[in-house]
Amino acid sequence: MFFSYICIFFGNQQNYLTFYILNMSKFDPATAIQRIDGRDANRGVNPAICDSATFTFPEAHLMTETFHGETEGYFLYSRHWNPSNLALCQRLAAMEGTEMAWVTGSGLAAITSALLHEVNAGDHIVASMTTYGGTFAFMANYLKKFNVNCTFVNMQNLDAVKKALAEHPNTKVVYTETMNNPLLRIANIPELSKMAHAAGAKLIVDNTFTPMIFSPCRLGADVTVYSMTKYINGTNDCVAGAICGSAEYINSLIDVNNGTCMLLGPVLDPMRSASINKNLHTLHIRMKKHGENAMYLAKRFKEVGFKYNYPGLPEHPDYELFCSMMNEGYGFGGMISIDMGTADRASKIMELMQQKGVGYLAVSLGYFKTLFSNSGKSTSSEVPEDIQKEMGMSEGLIRFSMGLDNDIEATFQLIKESVDAFNK
Ligand SMILES: *Cc1c(COP(=O)(O)O)cnc(C)c1O
């Protein structure tokens, strides 16, 4: 295996991590990250930023041996591995409870690489019909180039998943998001993984909305993918992605002869890795605050009789499933939506909320300011209207990614004033 030294390098961290996980009744991703020693060679507190594309060898034979994966502690070229990327990947793997991770230049780079790596021409994918618009477009339109077809199903309906798998024995991947957009339904990862494995397929899960809250690979998924653009980085200053899984799998992604990541080259810039690495260390505090604010709004929306959607209250159809899968202490996520009936009313309310300072009319999520958008007209607009209807999406749905507001009651009042102005 090419560069198996990375495995060994990682292996040392992992032995400790495995010991740590086995000795805990509950998995705690934040503590797993916090326990990693990040000091650099000069005893600086942060890992050194390595902005080299290529690396030297003191002796020529070491280069040859490195190509053959026979050395330990040597880097060759940054499209494959870079020390800054490795430092971030160690923490992401600790967070997920996986052996390894690899970072990409965008979330879609992570998703498309992970998908392309599993399928050959003529293979099949069973995917959630509510998946992120870009992912949906890639599977529905782009993969046709390679004669890879996709059946889109309602992931809440496990019988439909089973049926799709039975009808397509050439299925190589079951693909879902842990929490979907914008209805915030939760996928039953343990059950889906059993079904996928029974059919000889892998379960790939996009956990972008719920880092730390859920650990899909610990629940049975084979691969977890992220858009780090959102919560993980949290400052909306870059796009980035991650792929987490077994060491064998990550090594296959960067294999020189057949690795999708090595050959398509979606690697994340190491300068950016270093900055995301620092933001990752406050992710647990941010997730708790985003979740606390969304929960507060959900309770207030309920009191005043808004049509709202939040998975942290027992009224949500997946509340119990959520509780059965979650890592405790990180809340129920920062995403919440309200249904304003029509797209026109939603637009007017969003404009007023922006004027009043609730937050910004923008797509994306996981930012320190509140972001809101009308899902049907934005992030889900790649999803055909009939499927939008089938998944129960209203055209007046406003999705909020709650910010880190310190005075959430004041935010609630501004939202209420904006809604009341157009609800007469
Ligand atoms: C944003 C997003 C993506 C795409 O990530 P990029 O970083 O924009 O490429 C994929 N999945 C989900 C759930 C997202 O929210």
Side-chain angles (χ1 to χ4, degrees):
M1 194 182 299
F2 187 64
F3 280 141
S4 57
Y5 76 90
I6 294 287
C7 244
I8 297 158
F9 200 104
F10 236 83
N12 296 336
Q13 289 276 349
Q14 282 314 124
N15 290 341
Y16 172 70
L17 186 67
T18 307
F19 174 79
Y20 176 61
I21 291 166
L22 290 176
N23 281 279
M24 280 180 57
S25 51
K26 289 176 195 155
F27 181 60
D28 182 1
T31 303
I33 294 173
Q34 190 77 347
R35 294 277 161 88
I36 293 174
D37 187 340
R39 288 173 296 176
D40 76 355
N42 298 313
R43 295 175 296 279
V45 291
N46 287 313
I49 298 177
C50 178
D51 63 346
S52 292
T54 192
F55 298 84
T56 62
F57 294 87
E59 293 160 34
H61 70 95
L62 286 168
M63 182 187 275
T64 317
E65 286 162 28
T66 302
F67 257 103
H68 294 123
E70 291 158 2
T71 59
E72 210 180 309
Y74 287 94
F75 290 85
L76 182 80
Y77 190 64
S78 280
R79 173 155 37 80
H80 177 267
W81 269 121
N82 170 287
S84 297
N85 288 5
L86 183 57
L88 174 58
C89 288
Q90 285 170 333
R91 284 153 187 78
L92 290 168
M95 174 170 90
E96 291 307 309
T98 57
E99 287 174 346
M100 224 174 170
W102 202 79
V103 285
T104 57
S106 72
L108 265 180
I111 293 162
T112 57
S113 299
L115 287 172
L116 282 171
H117 200 60
E118 294 309 321
V119 292
N120 290 315
D123 283 343
H124 198 82
I125 295 174
V126 173
S128 163
M129 65 165 68
T130 60
T131 197
Y132 178 77
T135 310
F136 182 88
F138 178 75
M139 293 193 282
N141 310 331
Y142 197 91
L143 278 179
K144 290 210 173 108
K145 275 189 192 208
F146 306 109
N147 192 24
V148 171
N149 286 304
C150 202
T151 304
F152 293 99
V153 296
N154 176 354
M155 280 290 158
Q156 256 62 48
N157 183 349
L158 294 176
D159 288 337
V161 179
K162 204 173 257 174
K163 185 163 163 273
L165 287 169
E167 280 169 7
H168 301 281
N170 54 339
T171 300
K172 292 290 154 55
V173 176
V174 175
Y175 185 93
T176 191
E177 288 156 10
T178 337
M179 178 189 280
N180 80 8
N181 174 45
L183 297 173
L184 316 180
R185 297 297 307 258
I186 304 301
N188 189 332
I189 305 299
E191 284 305 316
L192 289 172
S193 78
K194 278 182 217 151
M195 285 182 184
H197 295 158
K202 276 191 178 172
L203 177 64
I204 302 183
V205 177
D206 180 338
N207 199 41
T208 297
F209 279 33
T210 47
M212 292 194 163
I213 297 171
F214 296 122
S215 309
C217 286
R218 287 179 51 84
L219 296 168
D222 299 281
V223 178
T224 300
V225 288
Y226 279 104
S227 167
M228 297 201 291
T229 313
K230 319 295 171 47
Y231 285 109
I232 290 182
N233 185 49
T235 44
N236 241 292
D237 50 359
C238 70
V239 287
I243 307 173
C244 309
S246 70
E248 189 188 354
Y249 169 72
I250 298 293
N251 279 323
S252 80
L253 280 178
I254 52 172
D255 179 90
V256 274
N257 294 308
N258 290 299
T260 304
C261 288
M262 190 62 184
L263 300 177
L264 298 186
V267 70
L268 181 62
D269 183 79
M271 305 279 265
R272 192 49 87 176
S273 275
S275 73
I276 296 173
N277 194 347
K278 283 167 277 193
N279 287 3
L280 179 65
H281 284 266
T282 56
L283 178 61
H284 60 297
I285 301 172
R286 291 185 278 113
M287 289 313 292
K288 287 178 195 187
K289 190 65 182 172
H290 289 299
E292 186 187 307
N293 282 348
M295 178 64 97
Y296 184 94
L297 281 189
K299 288 181 177 161
R300 296 292 273 137
F301 288 164
K302 185 174 163 182
E303 275 169 29
V304 298
F306 286 2
K307 207 171 161 195
Y308 75 97
N309 185 20
Y310 188 64
L313 290 180
E315 291 84 310
H316 191 278
D318 300 325
Y319 173 75
E320 273 165 32
L321 177 62
F322 197 123
C323 294
S324 74
M325 286 173 22
M326 74 197 293
N327 295 314
E328 273 171 43
Y330 297 96
F332 290 83
M335 307 303 290
I336 182 167
S337 61
I338 49 177
D339 184 358
M340 291 293 109
T342 68
D344 182 53
R345 193 183 303 143
S347 298
K348 288 180 176 140
I349 291 168
M350 290 191 298
E351 285 164 10
L352 190 56
M353 286 196 298
Q354 182 162 248
Q355 278 168 28
K356 285 178 180 288
V358 171
Y360 300 140
L361 172 48
V363 297
S364 202
L365 55 132
Y367 189 42
F368 46 76
K369 299 266 291 187
T370 295
L371 304 177
F372 42 82
S373 55
N374 177 341
S375 304
K377 303 285 169 203
S378 57
T379 51
S380 296
S381 58
E382 295 99 325
V383 180
E385 267 180 34
D386 53 323
I387 294 189
Q388 288 191 21
K389 283 223 174 67
E390 194 177 333
M391 68 196 238
M393 237 177 83
S394 152
E395 62 158 290
L397 199 78
I398 301 177
R399 183 193 80 175
F400 293 83
S401 162
M402 289 315 300
L404 302 173
D405 309 29
N406 193 44
D407 186 349
I408 190 66
E409 173 61 23
T411 303
F412 166 72
Q413 290 300 336
L414 294 176
I415 295 172
K416 186 165 181 305
E417 282 168 27
S418 308
V419 172
D420 288 347
F422 294 102
N423 236 3
K424 287 179 189 118

